[in-house]
Amino acid sequence: MNTRHSVALVTGANRGLGLAFAHELLARGATKVYAGVRDIGSIDASNPAIVPVQLDVTNAMSVAAAAARCADITLLINNAGIARVLPSLLDPDWIGSSQEIMETNFYGIVRTTQAFAPVLSANGNGAIVNVLSDTTWFARPMLSAYAASKSAAWSFTNASRIELREHGIHVLGMHVGFLDTDMTKGYELKKTNPREAASYTLGELERGAHEALVDENTRQVQGSLSSGNAAYYLNVPALA
């Protein structure tokens, strides 16, 4: 898919990776970018090419309204996501936190895919990018609930790729480690610049890739899966 002259909707676009995707799309020649956000007031409205759209991916009515509002899109970027750090798998709050996370990170993607796939198909040669994670394959205990949501989203992404191909829709899963955003603020970690991550992913989309493995650590994790020492077996120091 060529992102030049595309019309895109980016969910969770008020900051971080979502905002980086919006800016990168415009830099590549996108005609319009709908910025899907819960709070319209959180979007800088100074750029007329970025159109704020009220969208709560946990609310089916909100998603349906956005699909009607953004009926001209050719690209959907499912970026909206939340994370919670829990001290242990045995934490009493684990189930409640995981349910909250799944509503956004997994069911949110399901809702938007179901609502926007007919729109993309009608507009011809559309695409969906689902923002996933290296935790899809490597579940750190403190992020185990978040990891479970991304693993579920990866499975749905793979199923979507098979079914939606028949409707002229290309599906790409973006896998990335820690990003330099508000979500990781205060943590001393190796982080990827969001704009660089967005640029790499859109480049992979344009060349027809099925997955974008943004950083070297993510590539190492994925590459270990078929080995006898897969990253998810234990907390490998080099991949922590």
Side-chain angles (χ1 to χ4, degrees):
M1 176 185 182
N2 192 340
T3 55
R4 184 173 176 81
H5 303 309
S6 63
V7 177
L9 167 65
V10 182
T11 69
N14 59 321
R15 59 185 179 178
L17 180 60
L19 186 58
F21 265 120
H23 288 157
E24 184 62 26
L25 281 163
L26 294 178
R28 289 170 177 262
T31 302
K32 183 196 306 181
V33 177
Y34 291 106
V37 292
R38 290 186 179 186
D39 177 13
I40 293 292
S42 65
I43 288 289
D44 180 0
S46 61
N47 189 336
I50 297 181
V51 182
V53 174
Q54 200 286 323
L55 174 59
D56 178 355
V57 299
T58 69
N59 185 302
M61 292 182 64
S62 176
V63 173
R69 170 79 169 78
C70 309
D72 55 342
I73 71 164
T74 56
L75 173 61
L76 169 64
I77 298 183
N78 281 315
N79 166 73
I82 60 174
R84 299 284 183 268
V85 175
L86 294 171
S88 169
L89 293 168
L90 307 181
D91 191 301
D93 292 332
W94 197 97
I95 291 178
S97 293
S98 66
Q99 289 173 331
E100 178 191 11
I101 293 169
M102 290 288 284
E103 276 297 323
T104 297
N105 297 3
F106 175 61
Y107 290 115
I109 286 179
V110 176
R111 292 186 187 97
T112 55
T113 298
Q114 291 180 340
F116 283 97
V119 175
L120 293 169
S121 181
N123 292 334
N125 299 316
I128 298 174
V129 173
N130 290 336
V131 175
L132 305 174
S133 171
D134 66 346
T135 63
T136 297
W137 307 300
F138 177 50
R140 300 164 179 85
M142 69 177 183
L143 291 173
S144 55
Y146 174 79
S149 73
K150 291 300 185 178
S151 292
W154 180 51
S155 180
F156 183 77
T157 297
N158 294 335
S160 299
R161 184 180 300 112
I162 295 169
E163 180 168 337
L164 297 183
R165 182 185 295 122
E166 299 177 4
H167 300 275
I169 300 171
H170 182 81
V171 177
L172 179 144
M174 171 193 180
H175 298 270
V176 64
F178 294 110
L179 291 166
D180 191 9
T181 65
D182 288 347
M183 191 179 290
T184 61
K185 189 174 182 179
Y187 290 95
E188 293 299 321
L189 303 161
K190 186 176 181 180
K191 305 173 187 178
T192 300
N193 180 282
R195 185 65 181 265
E196 292 176 1
S199 177
Y200 179 84
T201 300
L202 293 176
E204 291 295 276
L205 176 66
E206 290 182 343
R207 76 175 187 85
H210 298 305
E211 291 189 316
L213 306 179
V214 174
D215 56 275
E216 181 58 31
N217 192 71
T218 296
R219 289 188 281 272
Q220 288 181 24
V221 170
Q222 197 235 33
S224 78
L225 299 184
S226 60
S227 74
N229 189 31
Y232 60 81
Y233 287 160
L234 68 164
N235 188 22
V236 182
L239 303 178

